[in-house]
Amino acid sequence: MGRYIPETLSEQEAMLREIGYTSIDDLYSMVPEQVRLKELNIPEGKSEMEVLEQMKEIADHNTVFRSVFRGAGVYAHHIPAIVKTITSKEEFLTAYTPYQAEISQGVLQSIFEYQTQICELTGLDVSNASVYDGAVAAAEAIFMTLERNKDEILVSDTIDPETLAVIKTYCESRSVKVKLLKNRNHLTDPDEVRKNLNERTAGLYLENPNYYGLIEDVESFAKLMHENKARIIEGCDPVSLALYRSPGEMDVDIAVGEGQQLGMPMGFGGPYLGFMTCRKELMRRLPGRIVGETTDHDGRRAFVLTLQAREQHIRREKASSNICSNEALCAMTASVYLAAMGPQGMNDLALSCYSNAHYLAEKLAELGFRRMDDGEFFNEFLTAAPVDPKLLEERLTEKKILSGLPLEDGILWCATELNTKEKIDELIAEIREVIE
Amino acid sequence: MKLLFERSVQGRRSDILPEITTGNYRPDEKYLRQRKMHLPEISEVDLGRHYTQLMKQTHGVNDGFYPLGSCTMKYNPRIDEETASLPSFTQIHPLQPLSTVQGCMEVLHKAEKLLCEITGMDAMTFEPAAGAHGEYTGLLLIRKYHQDRNDSERINIIVPDSAHGTNPASAAMAGFKVVNIPSNGKGGVDLDALRNAVGKDTAGLMLTNPNTLGLFDPNILEITKIVHEAGGLCYYDGANLNAVMGRVRPGDMGFDCVHLNLHKTFATPHGGGGPGSGPVGCKDFLRKYLPCHMVEERDEFYYFTDPEKSMGQVRSFYGNFLVVVKALTYILTLGKKGIPEASGKAVLNANYMMHRLKDHYHVAYDQICMHEFVLSLENLKKETGVSAMDIAKGSLDYGIHPPTMYFPLIVHEALMFEPAETESRETIDEAVKIYLDLFEKAYSDPEYLHNAPHHCPIGRPDDVKAAREPVLKYEFND
């Protein structure tokens, strides 16, 4: 029914006649007879009104929670209204990759601004235009550290399991050996790092804050790796970077992370944003698109896709990665978000996450949900579960509250700026009811 | 134009967040960052205007004709944006209890069933976030398949010389060696070259059909047979599916797995270079190697299951879910008749446009084309000095996006046009007139075209300078 084709059938027939054919099927004469499809076995098309109804009905089978106390890599945040307004502009939405710089300065400049902001957040020198998500960014970063005789990577087991899963897949296909390091009290264990380090070690990947919300001693790991001629990659939480020491300040070589928190909705897993930054000397190893500043023939400032000698459309099988589409609109989203918040807004946001999470931890402890670790945490933390976590999850779901995430050894709780004192007090009251 | 940072004035801000009410918790000083972050300090109104300026320097499908070959720049229906913005899709955490995400899982399940029918496949994963990511995933399927049969000799992926650059790059990333084979005189796969290339070391063949010349390979059944008989698998690059969807299926042509570009064929917007979505479909015998998180329905309830010998994950969670919502909306709208109508009109548009240009421009392969066609400007360049690049840049002044330039590599001075089905005859006629004007201009005033464009926000940028002296971020003074 719906088609989005401007012409009527008789208009199309006129076009056909003009080029010497009578039916559209004539144009498919090269397709072998025996595989031509008679009819697609899918439902008839529908009007816009009917499709909207149908999609709404499907969407209604989801539960939108009033209060979310779950993070584990994906976070509920307030998204400033201006973000969606800007990123919905049709020019940005419907453009292709900016190959033609003369009519793509808008997209190119926005990516250049994004690259600058990500470098500011991480304190590193060079950013690419983004990759698919934080997990892929981590895997691609690992490839950046490989050398002819260095094909092993150390990975802390305190990282997000989603990221670990992707790292394993990527590394297996390139025959890179992943050595998974056992944690000590949910922190990366320096002894494990030392034990597994050898001359084949290309680098160490860890996350900070890690999956359990704890702040890792990144600087000492960076020192250790550099002493052994290996690199260190930090997976970071972009909101925490407004408050905590940046990768650049801790001598990190490559910083990556999931940018979802910078203005993207949770959206059941995507689209998200993988950000990647590195030190200058690794610049030509960065995968994906990079925007650079130059001038046009009249000397005017201009932005272009640059350093393309790394890329697949030039180097084919010798490219640094196969990536072409990145997550440009998500990068713009992050850029608008960071500009709307500003340095003070980002600082307030990070403090709010920190403060709300620490208040939550205190209140939960009073009910017997004591923290399992005593290290510094940002806005997530693991607690014991004095009641069956699944039962708790179920009962809170009835109240449209999403509990912390039940893990093997406890419950992983999270608070952001949305979990205000009022919301936390309400959660605590509900939990008390479940316990009693 | 000014950068965000050049509009920044210290102390300016918008009030977005409330006061903190949970007390005075602060991290210890030793954890805090010392280096100041230079983020823009800008009012909301100025922020809005900044991007409105940028918007005016961006050409989208809504601004005008966008015949960028191999990219399928069709109209992106507004209703798709609306359904993907429903709060009961956008506000769902990927780790919610299953009973609270049944709607999302229904989307994935429905989209899988519909796209399997369209491609002739049996199962599909939505984890890959873009076309190249899908290629990588599809190749890992092939790798797993051979590994599982202890056939460790199969390390080669055969790729025709007309293939997209991503094909060989993805094959290398997936741990394969790339074997390039030449095209025959008609632009198709050279069967003898293929026969000579296959053997015990063949893992598979990657093919786009119609290929990047816009030609449907009539030997397709023979091609897939040759590969299968040698023990290899056949991979379908879905970049050009828009030409044939609803008319012939990769599964029926002998392909074992396929990736789609939802941001091409299924009308989801490109966003200036993503987010896309590159689902991978496969035949039953490869299902057990697919990534984790496949959706299964039992007793009217959806579950996630991990295939028995899964390759693991290629992305976190379930892929670019909201993009899948848009594509599903599109497929439901078009339905069984709308899908082949779209491909038919795309092919009609391309043949119509090629027909109207071919008395002046040289068509690289003068035969019926599919959804795109390639011109070679080699003769024009010899006669006038005006290159494919010059003609492309000249078209910018008329408000149309140029075709794909210098691709495929086997055609010299190539311009590849893809006038998608949503373009009207009038739009194409107007574009043809512009390209004919440019053709005349090449003879009358080549210098003008060497310096084109003349009316865009910038002239031709200095790419060499950009690469030699890379400036990749704004440098702050302090």
Side-chain angles (χ1 to χ4, degrees):
Chain A
M1 169 135 186
R3 306 182 312 153
Y4 310 112
I5 294 175
E7 287 88 349
T8 60
L9 282 178
S10 64
E11 285 178 286
Q12 291 184 45
E13 278 161 17
M15 286 171 79
L16 272 166
R17 273 197 304 279
E18 200 171 325
I19 60 172
Y21 297 96
T22 51
S23 89
I24 284 188
D25 288 344
D26 292 349
L27 302 173
Y28 288 90
S29 57
M30 306 291 250
V31 178
E33 195 79 48
Q34 66 263 46
V35 292
R36 287 188 207 172
L37 193 65
K38 298 229 161 37
E39 189 183 69
L40 265 181
N41 185 21
I42 67 172
E44 293 284 353
K46 293 190 175 74
S47 67
E48 177 173 306
M49 194 173 101
E50 290 166 302
V51 172
L52 181 60
E53 274 309 305
Q54 186 180 357
M55 292 303 290
K56 275 184 177 162
E57 203 186 301
I58 294 173
D60 283 344
H61 296 151
N62 293 325
T63 303
V64 176
F65 288 91
R66 286 186 299 121
S67 245
V68 177
F69 290 92
R70 189 167 294 190
V74 179
Y75 303 88
H77 284 289
H78 171 73
I79 300 175
I82 185 96
V83 173
K84 181 87 195 216
T85 307
I86 288 172
T87 54
S88 306
K89 289 180 191 291
E90 287 182 330
E91 288 79 357
F92 298 142
L93 189 68
T94 68
Y96 197 73
T97 302
Y99 293 126
Q100 297 289 342
E102 296 88 341
I103 53 167
S104 309
Q105 285 300 295
V107 168
L108 287 163
Q109 181 172 327
S110 95
I111 296 174
F112 185 82
E113 290 168 346
Y114 160 83
Q115 289 173 183
T116 306
Q117 287 166 315
I118 294 296
C119 287
E120 282 300 309
L121 268 182
T122 57
L124 288 173
D125 306 321
V126 193
S127 162
N128 69 6
S130 76
V131 293
Y132 310 130
D133 72 348
V136 171
E140 292 271 11
I142 287 171
F143 290 169
M144 287 173 66
T145 65
L146 303 178
E147 308 281 350
R148 190 179 296 272
N149 300 314
K150 290 177 180 285
D151 55 1
E152 291 185 5
I153 185 84
L154 309 184
V155 176
S156 170
D157 76 353
T158 61
I159 70 166
D160 187 321
E162 294 286 319
T163 306
L164 180 59
V166 174
I167 286 175
K168 280 182 174 166
T169 311
Y170 269 65
C171 285
E172 200 209 314
S173 73
R174 287 267 290 254
S175 307
V176 176
K177 187 169 176 188
V178 176
K179 286 183 164 173
L180 198 60
L181 310 176
K182 277 200 208 86
N183 68 79
R184 190 164 63 199
N185 302 327
H186 298 126
L187 279 167
T188 307
D189 181 354
D191 291 338
E192 273 281 300
V193 176
R194 271 186 220 103
K195 208 170 78 193
N196 285 284
L197 246 175
N198 64 40
E199 71 282 358
R200 299 203 76 87
T201 307
L204 164 69
Y205 176 74
L206 51 68
E207 291 176 357
N208 182 41
N210 67 24
Y211 185 63
Y212 305 99
L214 299 175
I215 299 298
E216 296 268 12
D217 186 4
V218 178
E219 197 165 22
S220 73
F221 290 117
K223 192 158 173 277
L224 186 57
M225 296 315 286
H226 291 153
E227 281 166 3
N228 287 277
K229 295 192 169 56
R231 314 256 186 204
I232 178 160
I233 308 165
E234 180 185 350
C236 29
D237 170 325
V239 173
S240 77
L241 289 181
L243 208 53
Y244 285 91
R245 297 179 68 198
S246 66
E249 289 169 301
M250 297 186 293
D251 221 10
V252 165
D253 298 300
I254 307 170
V256 297
E258 175 50 67
Q260 175 266 330
Q261 301 193 69
L262 306 176
M264 278 142 266
M266 297 186 287
F268 198 54
Y272 290 168
L273 168 74
F275 64 83
M276 290 187 83
T277 51
C278 66
R279 299 199 169 282
K280 210 167 200 152
E281 63 263 28
L282 293 168
M283 174 175 75
R284 284 174 205 276
R285 295 189 186 189
L286 265 179
R289 311 290 192 200
I290 299 178
V291 172
E293 185 182 327
T294 183
T295 48
D296 74 355
H297 52 53
D298 293 327
R300 282 176 291 196
R301 173 146 77 183
F303 298 98
V304 293
L305 293 174
T306 192
L307 302 178
Q308 298 195 54
R310 304 162 294 116
E311 289 191 61
Q312 47 77 28
H313 60 288
I314 310 277
R315 301 210 66 195
R316 298 176 79 87
E317 63 265 31
K318 295 190 184 68
S320 60
S321 164
N322 68 340
I323 189 169
C324 31
S325 278
N326 46 66
E327 303 286 302
L329 196 66
C330 301
M332 179 184 280
T333 304
S335 187
V336 179
Y337 179 86
L338 288 168
M341 298 295 283
Q344 190 57 49
M346 284 306 290
N347 191 63
D348 292 350
L349 169 69
L351 270 181
S352 178
C353 292
Y354 183 94
S355 187
N356 293 352
H358 283 72
Y359 177 77
L360 173 65
E362 209 173 277
K363 292 286 149 190
L364 281 171
E366 288 169 12
L367 295 181
F369 293 79
R370 291 185 198 290
R371 275 191 69 203
M372 311 276 286
D373 315 300
D374 45 19
E376 164 79 3
F377 72 100
F378 172 51
N379 72 331
E380 286 187 279
F381 53 92
L382 192 68
T383 69
V387 290
D388 175 13
K390 281 282 166 198
L391 176 77
L392 181 70
E393 181 184 62
E394 225 168 83
R395 295 284 297 274
L396 289 175
T397 295
E398 287 164 19
K399 306 284 180 188
K400 301 253 172 95
I401 296 172
L402 185 59
S403 74
L405 184 68
L407 297 183
E408 246 169 54
D409 42 1
I411 303 178
L412 185 62
W413 298 89
C414 171
T416 70
E417 79 283 10
L418 293 176
N419 307 94
T420 54
K421 179 170 185 296
E422 206 183 351
K423 296 271 171 87
I424 294 170
D425 291 344
E426 188 197 355
L427 168 82
I428 297 299
E430 295 294 349
I431 295 178
R432 187 165 281 137
E433 229 169 77
V434 176
I435 295 173
E436 279 158 11
Chain B
M1 203 190 130
K2 277 188 178 176
L3 290 167
L4 268 176
F5 315 103
E6 293 161 340
R7 296 181 194 275
S8 180
V9 179
Q10 201 182 352
R12 288 198 186 166
R13 55 175 298 180
S14 308
D15 289 310
I16 292 174
L17 300 183
E19 298 279 322
I20 298 169
T21 50
T22 41
N24 213 10
Y25 300 94
R26 295 283 182 280
D28 191 291
E29 191 71 27
K30 69 179 177 191
Y31 295 112
L32 300 183
R33 70 181 287 152
Q34 304 299 315
R35 197 185 295 164
K36 182 184 155 201
M37 274 196 301
H38 295 91
L39 292 177
E41 298 177 73
I42 192 166
S43 67
E44 187 168 318
V45 55
D46 290 331
L47 183 62
R49 284 180 184 161
H50 176 77
Y51 282 97
T52 301
Q53 292 282 313
L54 291 184
M55 173 196 91
K56 287 176 182 165
Q57 299 192 8
T58 303
H59 182 100
V61 172
N62 282 76
D63 292 283
F65 193 36
Y66 214 129
L68 186 64
S70 260
C71 299
T72 312
M73 299 301 288
K74 60 172 78 177
Y75 175 66
N76 311 126
R78 300 297 99 180
I79 183 69
D80 304 357
E81 298 306 309
E82 199 161 314
T83 55
S85 303
L86 291 170
S88 21
F89 286 135
T90 59
Q91 295 182 19
I92 304 300
H93 192 293
L95 296 173
Q96 284 185 199
L98 281 191
S99 63
T100 67
V101 296
Q102 289 293 301
C104 291
M105 297 180 76
E106 190 177 340
V107 166
L108 293 172
H109 191 256
K110 263 201 161 52
E112 181 184 358
K113 291 281 164 279
L114 292 168
L115 289 169
C116 278
E117 167 62 18
I118 291 169
T119 54
M121 295 290 146
D122 299 313
M124 190 168 284
T125 170
F126 291 93
E127 226 178 59
H133 206 203
E135 288 178 18
Y136 175 65
T137 309
L139 287 161
L140 289 186
L141 275 182
I142 294 177
R143 197 181 142 104
K144 278 266 162 195
Y145 167 79
H146 292 307
Q147 271 176 356
D148 198 27
R149 297 163 65 250
N150 293 318
D151 200 345
S152 57
E153 278 177 61
R154 298 192 178 272
I155 52 165
N156 289 340
I157 290 288
I158 300 171
V159 179
D161 57 4
S162 62
H164 296 114
T166 46
N167 288 180
S170 301
M173 254 186 94
F176 289 110
K177 285 210 173 95
V178 177
V179 176
N180 286 293
I181 55 164
S183 304
N184 64 24
K186 288 180 171 170
V189 171
D190 184 326
L191 292 181
D192 287 332
L194 179 62
R195 282 192 194 99
N196 287 332
V198 297
K200 281 187 178 149
D201 52 4
T202 302
L205 165 79
M206 288 183 94
L207 196 68
T208 312
N209 191 30
N211 62 22
T212 61
L213 297 163
L215 305 175
F216 190 94
D217 201 317
N219 298 322
I220 188 60
L221 298 176
E222 182 65 20
I223 292 167
T224 50
K225 195 172 148 210
I226 292 170
V227 176
H228 283 152
E229 282 178 357
L233 299 185
C234 297
Y235 178 95
Y236 184 87
D237 175 336
N240 292 347
L241 187 73
N242 204 47
V244 294
M245 63 173 180
R247 294 175 176 273
V248 55
R249 311 188 305 171
D252 299 337
M253 291 188 257
F255 289 95
D256 305 295
C257 56
V258 44
H259 90 261
L260 302 175
N261 298 70
L262 298 186
H263 48 288
K264 294 180 179 177
T265 319
F266 297 94
T268 74
H270 288 70
S277 174
V280 167
C282 67
K283 289 287 179 72
D284 235 342
F285 73 98
L286 292 173
R287 184 196 295 263
K288 59 182 168 215
Y289 310 113
L290 281 170
C292 308
H293 307 313
M294 296 299 293
V295 178
E296 215 173 81
E297 188 192 358
R298 286 196 304 271
D299 306 325
E300 293 181 8
F301 193 86
Y302 298 102
Y303 299 85
F304 281 121
T305 61
D306 292 346
E308 182 196 341
K309 293 176 175 173
S310 174
M311 66 173 70
Q313 280 180 246
V314 294
R315 188 196 176 279
S316 59
F317 306 111
Y318 331 113
N320 281 345
F321 172 76
L322 295 175
V323 178
V324 180
V325 173
K326 296 179 193 186
L328 175 62
T329 309
Y330 177 76
I331 298 167
L332 292 175
T333 305
L334 264 64
K336 69 159 71 187
K337 293 201 191 73
I339 298 265
E341 265 177 40
S343 55
K345 176 65 183 350
V347 170
L348 172 58
N349 274 2
N351 279 284
Y352 177 79
M353 187 169 181
M354 179 174 74
H355 178 83
R356 296 220 42 205
L357 286 172
K358 75 176 178 189
D359 287 344
H360 296 83
Y361 288 95
H362 176 70
V363 177
Y365 294 84
D366 192 5
Q367 51 184 290
I368 296 177
C369 68
M370 291 279 101
H371 65 309
E372 63 192 6
F373 61 93
V374 181
L375 302 180
S376 169
L377 275 61
E378 204 175 4
N379 288 338
L380 183 74
K381 192 177 176 192
K382 263 184 214 147
E383 287 176 19
T384 65
V386 169
S387 64
M389 166 86 88
D390 294 336
I391 294 287
K393 297 296 181 192
S395 71
L396 291 171
D397 282 330
Y398 294 89
I400 49 184
H401 193 287
T404 295
M405 310 183 301
Y406 299 98
F407 188 82
L409 306 173
I410 55 175
V411 175
H412 297 294
E413 294 296 322
L415 286 181
M416 180 203 244
F417 290 82
E418 182 179 4
E421 73 275 11
T422 52
E423 298 300 339
S424 68
R425 177 182 186 159
E426 300 87 88
T427 303
I428 296 173
D429 285 344
E430 204 176 305
V432 165
K433 191 172 166 298
I434 289 164
Y435 282 104
L436 297 184
D437 282 352
L438 289 167
F439 190 82
E440 268 173 32
K441 199 97 182 161
Y443 289 91
S444 64
D445 191 357
E447 207 46 38
Y448 186 83
L449 289 179
H450 293 324
N451 295 320
H454 299 273
H455 308 295
C456 291
I458 58 162
R460 285 191 209 187
D462 188 342
D463 288 312
V464 175
K465 179 180 164 188
R468 286 217 182 123
E469 309 154 31
V471 178
L472 308 179
K473 65 180 169 78
Y474 180 75
E475 293 301 335
F476 297 92
N477 288 326
D478 52 331

